[in-house]
Amino acid sequence: MSLTILKDDEIAELLNYLTFDELESFRSVLKQALYEYSTGTQSVQDGDIQQPPRTSVTSPVTGCTTLFMPSCSTEGLGMKARKDTLPPPVGTQAKANIRPTGALTLYSETGNPIGILHASTLTAFRTALASACLLQRRDTVKNITVFGCGEQAYWHVRLALLLRGDTIRHVNIISRRFDSSRAFVARFYKMATAVKEREGWASDTKFSILTTGYNDYERLLSENLRSSDVIFCCTPSTEPLFDHRVLTNHEGRRRGRLIVAIGSYTHEMRELPAELLRQATKTPDKTHVHYHKHAVEGGVVVVDTLDGALKEAGEIAEAGLGPRHLVELGELVMLSRVALLDDDSSEDIQSLSSASTFSATSSEFEKLSLNGPAMSSVYGSSQDTMPKITTSHAPSTADALASPTTPTVASGGGSNSRSASPARKGSGGLLSSLTPRHHRRSSSQASVDRRKKKEDQSARWLQRGNVIYKSVGLGLMDLSVGLRLIDFAREKGVGTRVPGF
């Protein structure tokens, strides 16, 4: 078995020019890994995904912190060591300003080393790839605001342009330094015209820069945020990046947004105001009458790992959120897939009469784990679950006659009209003998309708509502994306290989 070595510039070259289908191959691998991690759907024979907590050491000389992130899955093992400079305490200066760097070492399921990958670009790419699982579901992606101009910010914008470049019209960059922001924008303008045309953002997409030192900064920041469909927060900030009232007042809540916060990963860091998270997870008061149009709220904050977010996310701790306020991304990625299949279908599920069709749809729903710590907030009461449909026959003529929604000929005329079923009127004969069977079918249909309604509510929230995603990083992301990257590099003939390592 050979060992593959990939340098940072080789990884960047491979990932920068992915086609849509190639990106989807990476996203599919990551979605499956997150789904199995969050729902525990892998079989005992295949083994379990193991995600030990990460650990860290801090150098007293440089002040830099090195994170160690192990992970194990059915495909192999991984260990990433990444050095970073954490923000110094208030009133002090950092001992050194070192660019985040490190390496990911990958092993086969039998323990043989199979890859050493530079971690800088890979880390930013896999984080943005997880965010893209939510971005791809959005109905409207025209205006994007991004805080920061580092690698994380670049890859979030880069993947957004690759996935939704034909709809994106404006990208607002918010940063402290103009020179860094200008270099950030230049990376996009320097991309090959053929790539930009293929992705649909060659001429209609505009980039703008707003720095914190500008005189009218607060007003322009508010305008940018309120007009945004997607907000990416990619800074290691120790205080909120904007006033919560910009998005929590009536004007700010009119538009549904996807808000992604990935830059803060310790209790001392925070990018989002606590009031914004409390607003997103607040239980609605059904007795209160709303006179303002508000976007749909899901009642939860999406996180990559529940344990990690509770332990490491400063925003989550400051807002006082607990497990019932959070839902893992892995519990939603397959939900999105099922919803897309329903959306793409040309037939209305409620108009289908074949019981086998209902069974197929139910089997797809049964793959979802809806018992996560916060799924009841998204779907309603966790006790209102969908019973499994066991009917496997096509409806007979008698079934159709027994249905209360079947058109019947009224006694007084020749036109079709909806009337009560004879079985409901207590009439005897054949239809009377079919009454118990009719009730079973009605119960199954009602269950399908309830489940479909909950599915639609979640789909509307993910597509049009206010969705907040908080990521602190997960070793499983590095492992799954890294293994796919090794295969992809071999296909493209990129990298160094050491046979018989």
Side-chain angles (χ1 to χ4, degrees):
M1 182 175 290
S2 63
L3 175 76
T4 299
I5 301 174
L6 292 174
K7 298 183 294 184
D8 194 50
D9 57 348
E10 292 174 330
I11 295 175
E13 187 72 14
L14 282 171
L15 300 179
N16 242 324
Y17 296 99
L18 292 174
T19 65
F20 180 86
D21 291 337
E22 290 169 344
L23 178 63
E24 282 298 292
S25 72
F26 279 89
R27 196 164 70 99
S28 177
V29 168
L30 180 60
K31 284 171 59 177
Q32 186 65 35
L34 291 174
Y35 174 66
E36 292 179 356
Y37 168 75
S38 295
T39 62
T41 55
Q42 64 273 23
S43 65
V44 177
Q45 291 80 5
D46 291 337
D48 292 328
I49 289 178
Q50 299 181 41
Q51 182 55 69
R54 63 189 180 191
T55 186
S56 64
V57 295
T58 301
S59 169
V61 178
T62 63
C64 294
T65 297
T66 301
L67 298 175
F68 297 93
M69 303 175 66
S71 184
C72 175
S73 75
T74 58
E75 302 297 325
L77 301 89
M79 168 63 79
K80 185 174 75 172
R82 185 170 183 266
K83 185 178 290 292
D84 202 351
T85 303
L86 299 181
V90 178
T92 63
Q93 290 185 340
K95 296 181 180 180
N97 187 15
I98 297 178
R99 183 174 180 266
T101 186
L104 170 66
T105 306
L106 298 172
Y107 306 85
S108 69
E109 62 275 13
T110 58
N112 294 320
I114 58 175
I116 300 177
L117 285 61
H118 200 285
S120 292
T121 296
L122 176 62
T123 299
F125 173 79
R126 59 83 158 154
T127 307
L129 190 63
S131 303
C133 293
L134 294 172
L135 176 76
Q136 186 68 344
R137 286 290 291 147
R138 302 298 292 180
D139 278 354
T140 303
V141 183
K142 290 181 64 177
N143 298 318
I144 294 177
T145 293
V146 55
F147 288 89
C149 52
E151 286 299 302
Q152 292 282 9
Y154 173 79
W155 281 103
H156 274 79
V157 175
R158 178 70 193 95
L159 295 192
L161 291 171
L162 198 161
L163 291 170
R164 304 295 294 272
D166 57 338
T167 68
I168 295 174
R169 295 294 173 263
H170 211 118
V171 179
N172 307 302
I173 297 97
I174 314 294
S175 179
R176 291 179 298 173
R177 294 181 293 272
F178 180 78
D179 290 343
S180 300
S181 301
R182 184 172 57 183
F184 178 87
V185 174
R187 296 177 68 178
F188 293 98
Y189 280 113
K190 290 178 180 178
M191 294 197 69
T193 302
V195 174
K196 292 188 280 189
E197 290 178 347
R198 182 184 69 201
E199 297 170 0
W201 56 278
S203 57
D204 295 332
T205 303
K206 309 299 180 185
F207 293 78
S208 66
I209 297 173
L210 177 62
T211 59
T212 55
Y214 190 72
N215 290 335
D216 215 6
Y217 173 76
E218 293 297 336
R219 180 184 66 82
L220 293 176
L221 175 63
S222 298
E223 291 180 358
N224 285 343
L225 291 175
R226 286 180 177 168
S227 65
S228 293
D229 304 299
V230 180
I231 300 173
F232 294 132
C233 301
C234 309
T235 71
S237 177
T238 56
E239 57 185 29
L241 298 174
F242 53 87
D243 190 321
H244 74 90
R245 289 170 293 187
V246 175
L247 298 182
T248 58
N249 64 14
H250 295 307
E251 182 64 27
R253 296 176 64 191
R254 289 174 60 87
R255 179 192 293 265
R257 299 176 185 85
L258 170 62
I259 303 175
V260 175
I262 58 89
S264 57
Y265 52 89
T266 70
H267 265 209
E268 293 72 34
M269 297 179 179
R270 49 189 48 81
E271 297 176 289
L272 302 178
E275 294 84 355
L276 181 64
L277 273 65
R278 295 192 190 107
Q279 176 70 57
T281 57
K282 184 169 62 176
T283 303
D285 183 3
K286 296 182 179 180
T287 63
H288 179 68
V289 179
H290 289 283
Y291 296 98
H292 304 276
K293 178 183 176 182
H294 291 163
V296 178
E297 298 282 2
V300 291
V301 171
V302 185
V303 296
D304 51 356
T305 164
L306 191 145
D307 293 336
L310 291 173
K311 185 183 299 182
E312 300 164 357
E315 297 98 334
I316 302 296
E318 184 181 18
L321 304 187
R324 68 186 183 90
H325 301 115
L326 310 177
V327 59
E328 288 186 337
L329 177 62
E331 295 186 72
L332 299 176
V333 289
M334 292 304 177
L335 169 67
S336 299
R337 180 173 64 85
V338 174
L340 282 173
L341 289 175
D342 287 344
D343 291 342
D344 292 341
S345 175
S346 60
E347 296 177 290
D348 185 348
I349 188 172
Q350 296 186 16
S351 68
L352 297 176
S353 59
S354 171
S356 62
T357 303
F358 286 135
S359 296
T361 305
S362 176
S363 67
E364 287 293 319
F365 287 150
E366 292 298 325
K367 295 178 183 178
L368 301 176
S369 173
L370 304 182
N371 299 319
M375 291 307 290
S376 60
S377 300
V378 182
Y379 288 92
S381 173
S382 60
Q383 297 178 353
D384 186 15
T385 56
M386 165 71 174
K388 189 172 182 179
I389 300 174
T390 57
T391 307
S392 59
H393 68 283
S396 63
T397 304
D399 289 333
L401 291 173
S403 172
T405 60
T406 301
T408 60
V409 179
S411 58
S415 62
N416 286 345
S417 64
R418 295 186 184 273
S419 62
S421 168
R424 286 192 172 188
K425 295 180 180 179
S427 60
L430 175 63
L431 293 179
S432 178
S433 66
L434 292 174
T435 300
R437 187 177 184 179
H438 158 66
H439 284 313
R440 286 197 299 271
R441 283 178 47 78
S442 298
S443 176
S444 297
Q445 178 65 59
S447 298
V448 170
D449 291 344
R450 286 197 301 271
R451 186 60 169 268
K452 185 66 166 62
K453 182 179 179 180
K454 293 176 182 179
E455 176 84 5
D456 291 343
Q457 289 173 345
S458 296
R460 281 195 296 271
W461 169 56
L462 290 173
Q463 292 171 205
R464 309 185 189 109
N466 283 318
V467 179
I468 298 178
Y469 171 54
K470 175 61 193 172
S471 172
V472 295
L474 191 63
L476 180 63
M477 296 179 179
D478 301 304
L479 175 60
S480 57
V481 175
L483 290 173
R484 172 67 187 119
L485 183 58
I486 287 179
D487 292 337
F488 186 68
R490 286 174 180 162
E491 295 170 7
K492 299 295 184 179
V494 176
T496 302
R497 283 162 192 81
V498 182
F501 185 84

